Amino acid sequence: MAVQLALGGWFAGKIYPGVAVAGIPVGGLTRLQAQDRLSHQVTDYKVRLQVGSRSFNITPQELGTNYNLAATVDQAYGVGRDQWFLPWALFQPRQPEGVGYAFVVDQPAKEKFIDKIVKITGQAPLDAVIIINNGVPEAKSDENGVAIEPSDVEIAIDHQISNLSDVPIKLQPNTQLARIHLADVKPAIEQTKVLLAVPVTITYQGQTFKPSAADMSGWITYDKTPVDQPAGLIPKLSTDGIKFYLQSVAQHVNVNPTNRKVRIENGDSSETQAGKDGIQLDQDALADQIAKAVTAKQPITVEAPTKPVPFKTEYNRVISLDYGKYIEINLSMQHLWVYQDHNVIYESPITSGATGAGFGTVTGLFSIQAKQTNRNLNGYAIGYNYNVHVDYWMPFYGNYGLHDASWRSSFGGPDYWRGGSHGCVNLPLDTAAFLYGWSDVGTPVWIHN
């Protein structure tokens, strides 16, 4: 009893002799001492795997794994402490490798990396297929693939991480057999030959089109038989493939529409070219008809269906200003010119509507509709929050007009974009006075960008 007490006092708080973690001796160490020793071992450790001819050196962190040193030391500390007779517990034989490192795993991250390893080291098997060359169906042989089992990779990784092994674990991918072999596609080849031999005739206004077996090569695709049925291929008609062929037929059918042309000069419209609808081969409808007939192995002679292509109207807008006098306003330049007898007799900066705020000035050819002095412009009547006095008011389109703006200190700058009017053309007082005296009701006003 005295020996047991003495030994118990000596090894209190210490790991029993002979205990190791992944072959690293930790016997006689306290928990903190053991944890410090073990932490140095895991620094820069990498898992080493060899899958076929590919080698991998991966950090545990890349595998979503982190060491739990406290739990590892707890395992080492617990070795032998289930024995009641302390001398036996202290000096019983130990395994040289001891306990493994404990670790915590981010399983989704780990599985993602394992899937990556499986993918880059594997090669999926290739089933036998049918290729149609110049109207002749031929079989291309199957090829086996190789793949490693994800569970084998995971077991190897866990072993490496737990034991800090520097010896790479070698894994050999397994052969993956193709499901559909060369002999399995022979029935589909015979079925394909029958489909390619179905006569197809397309007519249109005296023209005849008869696709050959070579033309029909792109019409057939294949589905694999369901897994609960014998391995093989099922031929089917592809409407996309048929429509690809029908593009050559469409060149003899399609007629482009003639667009209607309208000239708008100073607001007056006149038709310069009448419109005429075009014609277009209805490839969708025709492809469906052909696919159904060939699938049923029934010869088909069909008049090509067509559909109209509506013409469009093209507008040619022209401003022709052969007037004795008119006003030109360029919104992008924020400037106004006054013309008389084809000469500029006056010009001035202006401030137009606040385009950036949704109050841009209208563009087009207008004319002065009225002339007033000492007028109050009340925006409340049309939904705007203003009521201002102007000396000169010359409306040219609805509520849009030319007028002075005493509240402005400058004109002609880019500030109009946000700080302009509600659509009117603001003028310096001198400019407004000149235009009022020079213009007549009906004087053209040309506004453009």
Side-chain angles (χ1 to χ4, degrees):
M1 180 63 70
V3 172
Q4 176 132 334
L5 290 173
L7 291 173
W10 179 260
F11 285 100
K14 296 180 180 179
I15 299 171
Y16 286 170
V19 176
V21 174
I24 303 166
V26 291
L29 301 180
T30 65
R31 291 173 183 266
L32 289 176
Q33 290 170 336
Q35 187 165 328
D36 181 64
R37 176 175 293 183
L38 295 177
S39 67
H40 292 297
Q41 302 299 320
V42 300
T43 302
D44 299 327
Y45 176 71
K46 292 186 177 181
V47 175
R48 301 176 66 193
L49 295 178
Q50 185 171 336
V51 183
S53 61
R54 298 291 298 269
S55 297
F56 299 90
N57 293 313
I58 320 159
T59 66
Q61 291 73 25
E62 289 178 294
L63 293 163
T65 302
N66 288 287
Y67 286 104
N68 187 336
L69 295 179
T72 302
V73 171
D74 286 345
Q75 292 182 50
Y77 186 81
V79 174
R81 294 189 184 273
D82 56 345
Q83 297 287 337
W84 68 271
F85 184 56
L86 190 55
W88 171 249
L90 291 173
F91 303 109
Q92 65 177 329
R94 316 280 189 205
Q95 293 292 332
E97 66 275 10
V99 299
Y101 273 85
F103 51 87
V104 293
V105 179
D106 178 347
Q107 194 62 27
K110 181 180 181 182
E111 291 176 356
K112 183 178 180 181
F113 204 94
I114 290 175
D115 288 343
K116 178 181 177 181
I117 293 176
V118 170
K119 183 177 181 180
I120 64 178
T121 58
Q123 176 64 51
L126 299 176
D127 289 331
V129 295
I130 297 174
I131 299 174
I132 306 175
N133 289 316
N134 202 29
V136 179
E138 300 173 345
K140 182 179 179 182
S141 182
D142 55 285
E143 297 179 13
N144 291 332
V146 292
I148 194 73
E149 290 294 331
S151 58
D152 292 343
V153 179
E154 184 169 23
I155 291 171
I157 286 172
D158 289 349
H159 178 271
Q160 294 283 79
I161 290 176
S162 177
N163 295 283
L164 259 66
S165 174
D166 289 328
V167 180
I169 292 182
K170 297 182 179 181
L171 300 174
Q172 192 61 39
N174 300 316
T175 299
Q176 304 291 307
L177 299 177
R179 175 174 174 261
I180 301 175
H181 305 291
L182 201 60
D184 298 328
V185 303
K186 289 183 178 179
I189 288 180
E190 296 307 314
Q191 295 169 28
T192 301
K193 290 178 180 179
V194 174
L195 294 174
L196 292 174
V198 174
V200 176
T201 303
I202 304 167
T203 62
Y204 182 75
Q205 295 184 350
Q207 302 177 80
T208 301
F209 309 92
K210 293 184 176 182
S212 65
D215 293 328
M216 297 168 66
S217 295
W219 296 12
I220 300 175
T221 60
Y222 299 90
D223 286 337
K224 296 180 180 180
T225 55
V227 293
D228 59 347
Q229 296 181 14
L233 297 175
I234 304 170
K236 66 176 184 178
L237 270 292
S238 164
T239 55
D240 286 339
I242 297 172
K243 283 188 283 187
F244 182 80
Y245 164 76
L246 292 178
Q247 291 178 15
S248 62
V249 178
Q251 294 177 9
H252 301 273
V253 175
N254 293 354
V255 177
N256 292 328
T258 299
N259 286 342
R260 176 174 178 255
K261 294 184 178 181
V262 177
R263 178 184 174 89
I264 302 176
E265 184 172 355
N266 299 340
D268 295 327
S269 300
S270 61
E271 184 178 78
T272 59
Q273 177 175 285
K276 183 179 180 181
D277 288 343
I279 297 173
Q280 185 179 77
L281 177 66
D282 192 341
Q283 295 186 31
D284 291 335
L286 184 53
D288 286 341
Q289 288 180 271
I290 294 173
K292 290 176 181 177
V294 175
T295 299
K297 304 177 181 64
Q298 296 293 324
I300 179 175
T301 299
V302 59
E303 177 74 10
T306 60
K307 55 186 177 181
V309 181
F311 67 82
K312 297 179 181 179
T313 300
E314 299 176 359
Y315 294 96
N316 182 21
R317 301 180 184 274
V318 178
I319 299 296
S320 177
L321 298 179
D322 190 15
Y323 301 115
K325 56 193 297 185
Y326 65 91
I327 301 166
E328 178 186 0
I329 297 172
N330 186 309
L331 299 180
S332 60
M333 298 178 66
Q334 291 291 288
H335 205 81
L336 170 151
W337 296 267
V338 178
Y339 290 84
Q340 186 162 333
D341 298 328
H342 305 291
N343 294 310
V344 176
I345 64 169
Y346 191 94
E347 61 179 289
S348 169
I350 56 99
T351 295
S352 65
T355 305
F359 300 116
T361 300
V362 293
T363 58
L365 183 61
F366 312 100
S367 61
I368 292 178
Q369 299 171 344
K371 297 168 63 177
Q372 291 180 298
T373 57
N374 296 318
R375 165 74 185 270
N376 261 40
L377 302 181
N378 188 348
Y380 294 99
I382 54 175
Y384 299 132
N385 183 23
Y386 66 84
N387 187 4
V388 296
H389 174 269
V390 298
D391 289 346
Y392 303 99
W393 167 243
M394 291 160 279
F396 56 82
Y397 177 76
N399 293 310
Y400 295 86
L402 306 168
H403 63 80
D404 53 291
S406 59
W407 54 91
R408 292 194 182 279
S409 58
S410 64
F411 297 85
D415 59 328
Y416 83 95
W417 186 259
R418 287 284 178 184
S421 70
H422 284 79
C424 288
V425 177
N426 289 181
L427 308 170
L429 182 60
D430 289 348
T431 300
F434 174 83
L435 289 179
Y436 186 87
W438 171 84
S439 67
D440 303 308
V441 172
T443 295
V445 178
W446 177 32
I447 303 176
H448 61 94
N449 287 301

